[in-house]
Amino acid sequence: MRWKWLGRKMTAAGFDVEEASPSSPTAPSCASTSPLPISASSDSSLVKRSHGEAVDSGWAWVVLAASFFILAIINGATTGTSIFYTEFLKEFDRGTVLTSGLISTSYGLISVTGPLGSILSNKFGCRPVTILGSLIAAIGYFSTYFVQDFEMMFLTFGVLTGVGFGMAYSPAFGIIAMHFRRRQTLATSAVTVGIGLGIIAIPPIQEVMVRNYGWRESFLLTGSLTLLIVFCAMLFPKHRTSTQTLTLAESANLTLFREVPFYILCLHFFLMAGVNIYGFLSVRFATDIRGISKQDVTWIIAVGGVTDMVGRLSAVALSSNRWSSGRRTRFAVVHVMTVLVVGCIVLFTWSKTLVGLAGWSGALGFFLAVKWAVWPGLQMELFGNARFSTSYAYGSFVMGLGSLALPPLGEQVGVVTGNDLAPFYLSGIFVVFAAVTGVILQFFMPPVALHDPLHQPSPAEILSHQQAPFDDSIDTLPGPVDFEEDEKVPIPRYGEDDAVVFRSYKDDL
């Protein structure tokens, strides 16, 4: 009885046979690429993870916790930016469109610089890029404290904080895909709970600082909080792998630009930026149009933060339940949540009391949180683990362009029409079209990959190149191949301790 391999390499959710090529353009430097030992017996072979690899256990959970707090700080600080809108209008008196443009510059550049953070982290590692980004953002906050000229704030507050947070955000989120395989969907959903925590905690602190000391002092506090990202990033593993010899083009994963689903994904992200029209204008709408006090308006933000966290925790439960974690179910959840977001935006504008505004803000926070917590797992299945961080960064880049353009456009629509509700209606229209692109994208999903830990591949999938994995970091398998009756082929099955058991293909026929 003898063994026969079906290709140069075979990978399945945490095990490798044959060492990866040093020039592989899809192996990010945030992940260990150590080859794994093989021990064979006459009945089966077990391939286990190296203990040095923090995958699904050990230090991987520390990495998840660090990313959790990084996302909390970044999203909390940027969400609280809407609190400064009225303060900027009052002090600089540059009109609603220009003031909206200043805030959207900072917020939009976070997403626009996402690809830069992803490419640099692929080239140099996640830890140094995250630290550098947080330092740039902190410098932006600190320097804005001294700025007296409105135009200069576009550089200090708009560019520096935006670019800094963008560089830190992408690797802090993308590193999760490199440290989790079998529990990947659960981990990506769990880490985004930090977004809700940040929205709950940081904006109220910023509002208290603005009310008691002024917006400049609040910027000093926010810059100090930003420096905490440095300590979180120090917990990321320091990898020195051969992937650091990658060229810039290889790190950028340019193969994505040859795929139609990638362009649909980018369109989806751009249209979802329409939500930011609501996000930027909701606080001013509540205070100036509905007469809510500045102190009470933070309740609207806080309620949205609480429901955001609840929504992301619900997504974790959804992802960890075998009955609801299927691809079709998760796509259905994404579609429904996106449509419900539109309804919440419209109903928010129709509300005239604090309770009504906070209620619909909370509902929107819940639906949007569930949508974005479930989405990364689907995107990983579409483009593969190795290209997830880069594909997400490109999508965020396009969303950043939308964040730069759409909020000022919404303000202009309100000025031209003379209708205070018009910007919010425009926001809802963009999200409706985003829902349509999400439905279209579902039809481009590939067959379940062989390295999907929830999938039990059939012999036909193993032997046929038509069913090869969609991840281009995995060599495709030639086929079909004829085997003698007593021969075995490696068919991955998960055993104890996340081991992969090679079974006879005859046992599955």
Side-chain angles (χ1 to χ4, degrees), residues 166-377:
M167 289 180 60
Y169 192 97
S170 183
F173 190 77
I175 196 173
I176 299 300
M178 306 306 160
H179 286 271
F180 288 89
R181 292 294 183 269
R182 188 165 59 88
R183 299 182 177 92
Q184 194 171 80
T185 302
L186 174 64
T188 53
S189 298
V191 74
T192 57
V193 176
I195 296 174
L197 177 63
I199 295 174
I200 293 171
I202 296 180
I205 297 175
Q206 292 174 319
E207 191 279 330
V208 170
M209 290 292 296
V210 170
R211 180 157 39 91
N212 294 319
Y213 301 100
W215 68 265
R216 296 181 185 274
E217 287 72 14
S218 182
F219 267 46
L220 289 179
L221 176 64
T222 306
S224 301
L225 291 174
T226 301
L227 290 177
L228 295 177
I229 295 177
V230 174
F231 298 100
C232 294
M234 291 296 292
L235 297 175
F236 290 167
K238 185 178 180 181
H239 296 286
R240 296 182 180 275
T241 67
S242 58
T243 58
Q244 292 179 343
T245 62
L246 298 179
T247 65
L248 186 62
E250 290 172 332
S251 299
N253 274 322
L254 298 181
T255 57
L256 290 167
F257 291 90
R258 299 199 296 263
E259 303 178 16
V260 172
F262 173 70
Y263 293 97
I264 300 175
L265 174 80
C266 290
L267 179 60
H268 178 81
F269 272 77
F270 180 85
L271 294 171
M272 282 302 299
V275 175
N276 291 330
I277 299 177
Y278 160 85
F280 290 171
L281 304 184
S282 58
V283 171
R284 188 173 68 86
F285 176 83
T287 55
D288 296 352
I289 307 301
R290 297 308 186 206
I292 307 299
S293 67
K294 294 181 180 179
Q295 184 175 356
D296 289 338
V297 80
T298 56
W299 285 102
I300 298 176
I301 300 175
V303 169
V306 171
T307 56
D308 183 283
M309 181 178 293
V310 173
R312 295 179 190 277
L313 288 173
S314 300
V316 172
L318 178 74
S319 301
S320 59
N321 189 328
R322 60 177 298 185
W323 303 109
S324 58
S325 60
R327 180 186 292 173
R328 290 183 180 179
T329 301
R330 286 179 287 141
F331 258 116
V333 169
V334 166
H335 302 330
V336 172
M337 294 299 106
T338 307
V339 173
L340 290 176
V341 165
V342 178
C344 290
I345 293 175
V346 174
L347 292 172
F348 177 88
T349 62
W350 293 353
S351 301
K352 298 182 180 181
T353 65
L354 175 62
V355 174
L357 293 170
W360 290 117
S361 172
L364 185 147
F366 177 85
F367 298 140
L368 200 61
V370 173
K371 181 255 194 302
W372 284 121
V374 173
W375 183 265

Side-chain angles (χ1 to χ4, degrees), residues 433-450:
F433 284 107
V436 174
T437 58
V439 173
I440 296 174
L441 198 61
Q442 182 175 357
F443 293 96
F444 284 91
M445 293 298 290
V448 180
L450 297 179

